[in-house]
Amino acid sequence: MVNGLPCSLSIAIVGLLASVAIVGQIVQVYGIWLTYYESSNWERVPIKVVSVEVKEIRSTGKNSSTSYILRCNYTYTIDGKSYTGKRIGAEDKIGADRKETFRRYEILKRCKEGTEEHLAYVSPFDREVSILFRSVGLSYFLFPLMLSVFLVFSLLAFVVGTWLISQALIRRKLLQQHPDEPWLAEPEWNTFHQKAGSISRLIIIWAFTFLLAATMTPFVFFFLFNFSQNPIVALFGLSFFSFPLGIAKLAIKTTIDYKKYGIPKMHFPKLPIKPGEKFEGTITLLHAIRPDDGVVLSLRCTDPEGAQQGICKEMLWMENQRIYEDKEIQFSFIIPEKLPPRDALNRCVTYTLELAALVKGVEVSFTFNDLPVYKSTQKSS
């Protein structure tokens, strides 16, 4: 059934809002990095600490916590002119962690007492811009790393949501033209065939892979360069890259399957497919699949809403068949009459046909989603 417009709109809006929020956070962290790298060439100038304190902030509520903010007023002199500074580190807008906050406090406290000298980093372009510490915790590299991963997901949600909106509008128009024949809302079904995926799916997987790689590659080098300083944290950061590697593996496998077998196409002789009647057809592959022990076809009926009512794994019915054919795979199922069709009362019910086989020990599988199973008083065409 084609009733996904509100859901698609929600996906697009959530993806857009999340993307904007995450980009704002990344820009803020980018400012920290920019100050960190620029300050490496700033002039070092002795300071005089006027005041220094650590302020404790306690949040109330169920998940109460305590944070600490370091505040310091200091002066420095360049070319006979005195300047006042308050900024402590590159990450002042977000704040350093507790351990680093108290380490800096002890240093500045000794500086105020006159037992230790400390040098500020002063910008050569604007003498009023200065920081006391250049060190940036590893968390400021982990944080944008996680943000980048979330950004990829939110952008993908926005793109997918927008595409689903366009498809839903097209299908809604077709439904208005054929209110008693909802299977005609899917243009592909009108040609009595259905594909297991498309070339656009392959392009999306690779685009997603390259986007993740471009986003996360700089962090790989950072963690490798800092491995000797803190191997445990570096390994934790590198563990994030198991996800893009998994996506890359999926992209490579999908591409290999596409090159070998093309996009499988299922032909069925009549519409709609009805519960209680025979569902037969032929699956055509570009090249013979040559399975080790036949091809397994699994026809399933699932209902996500049914899982909330106690139905195990959302599965309403499933039947498997093992067929010893490799290119033109003919099949025949009888769908039980008691099963619900796809209609306004069963919007979430879906019928899926999966083809799976072992080829030289490697699993190959293709899925035909959302089969046109409807009840109709009309004779199947």
Side-chain angles (χ1 to χ4, degrees):
M1 287 296 289
V2 184
N3 291 287
L5 185 57
C7 180
S8 303
L9 185 60
S10 299
I11 292 173
I13 292 175
V14 170
L16 178 61
L17 294 178
S19 299
V20 172
I22 293 171
V23 167
Q25 290 292 318
I26 291 178
V27 168
Q28 189 175 21
V29 177
Y30 173 75
I32 294 174
W33 291 353
L34 188 62
T35 302
Y36 173 77
Y37 287 111
E38 287 182 344
S39 61
S40 62
N41 297 318
W42 288 3
E43 185 178 349
R44 303 298 305 277
V45 179
I47 65 167
K48 180 181 179 181
V49 176
V50 179
S51 64
V52 59
E53 65 172 344
V54 174
K55 186 175 182 181
E56 181 181 295
I57 300 178
R58 294 184 178 180
S59 62
T60 58
K62 184 177 180 180
N63 299 318
S64 60
S65 61
T66 303
S67 58
Y68 300 90
I69 297 178
L70 177 60
R71 292 179 177 176
C72 180
N73 293 318
Y74 56 92
T75 61
Y76 54 93
T77 303
I78 300 178
D79 298 330
K81 185 175 180 180
S82 181
Y83 298 89
T84 300
K86 293 183 177 180
R87 190 171 181 182
I88 297 170
E91 76 290 343
D92 273 5
K93 291 183 179 180
I94 298 179
D97 56 45
R98 183 178 183 276
K99 183 178 179 180
E100 178 65 14
T101 295
F102 280 95
R103 187 188 74 85
R104 294 176 178 182
Y105 171 73
E106 292 298 329
I107 293 174
L108 296 176
K109 182 180 177 182
R110 291 193 296 270
C111 183
K112 181 183 178 183
E113 295 169 350
T115 59
E116 184 178 320
E117 183 182 59
H118 189 74
L119 303 178
Y121 297 85
V122 181
S123 171
F125 307 105
D126 186 352
R127 297 299 191 183
E128 294 184 352
V129 177
S130 63
I131 59 174
L132 298 181
F133 300 92
R134 278 194 69 241
S135 59
V136 176
L138 196 59
S139 59
Y140 289 98
F141 291 86
L142 290 173
F143 182 56
L145 171 61
M146 291 185 289
L147 286 178
S148 300
V149 175
F150 293 145
L151 178 61
V152 171
F153 275 110
S154 59
L155 287 174
L156 184 65
F158 173 69
V159 172
V160 171
T162 303
W163 179 80
L164 289 175
I165 289 172
S166 66
Q167 295 300 305
L169 291 175
I170 293 173
R171 290 166 181 167
R172 175 176 287 185
K173 183 177 180 181
L174 290 172
L175 273 177
Q176 292 173 349
Q177 296 173 357
H178 307 281
D180 297 326
E181 300 174 302
W183 53 90
L184 297 181
E186 181 60 60
E188 188 180 48
W189 292 342
N190 293 330
T191 59
F192 295 91
H193 79 270
Q194 185 169 338
K195 294 179 180 179
S198 63
I199 189 66
S200 60
R201 175 177 177 268
L202 184 60
I203 294 173
I204 290 173
I205 292 175
W206 274 111
F208 190 37
T209 301
F210 282 120
L211 184 59
L212 269 179
T215 303
M216 302 178 75
T217 297
F219 298 101
V220 173
F221 291 102
F222 172 79
F223 288 122
L224 290 176
F225 290 148
N226 287 272
F227 185 82
S228 59
Q229 299 179 14
N230 198 332
I232 295 178
V233 178
L235 285 174
F236 174 73
L238 289 171
S239 67
F240 279 89
F241 299 100
S242 60
F243 175 71
L245 288 175
I247 297 295
K249 181 180 178 182
L250 173 63
I252 293 171
K253 185 181 183 302
T254 305
T255 303
I256 292 174
D257 290 344
Y258 172 73
K259 293 290 289 183
K260 285 184 177 179
Y261 313 114
I263 298 176
K265 183 182 292 187
M266 177 177 61
H267 302 264
F268 37 85
K270 61 181 182 180
L271 277 175
I273 303 166
K274 298 180 182 180
E277 294 186 0
K278 183 181 291 186
F279 166 41
E280 56 186 4
T282 304
I283 297 175
T284 305
L285 297 146
L286 182 63
H287 301 292
I289 199 168
R290 305 192 187 285
D292 298 342
D293 188 24
V295 173
V296 177
L297 293 180
S298 300
L299 181 60
R300 297 188 297 268
C301 175
T302 58
D303 181 7
E305 290 186 347
Q308 300 173 6
Q309 301 169 7
I311 299 176
C312 181
K313 296 183 180 180
E314 309 174 359
M315 189 74 66
L316 299 182
W317 173 78
M318 182 176 71
E319 182 178 326
N320 296 327
Q321 292 183 3
R322 187 176 296 273
I323 301 173
Y324 293 90
E325 297 179 8
D326 54 13
K327 188 175 180 180
E328 298 284 338
I329 304 171
Q330 298 183 356
F331 63 87
S332 178
F333 291 91
I334 295 181
I335 300 176
E337 189 174 4
K338 65 179 181 179
L339 290 177
R342 293 159 55 107
D343 56 27
L345 298 177
N346 303 287
R347 297 179 181 181
C348 296
V349 170
T350 58
Y351 287 81
T352 303
L353 180 64
E354 181 180 8
L355 180 154
L358 285 177
V359 181
K360 296 181 180 180
V362 179
E363 183 178 354
V364 177
S365 64
F366 301 98
T367 304
F368 299 90
N369 293 306
D370 298 328
L371 299 179
V373 179
Y374 294 93
K375 277 189 178 178
S376 173
T377 56
Q378 303 177 12
K379 187 177 180 180
S380 298
S381 56

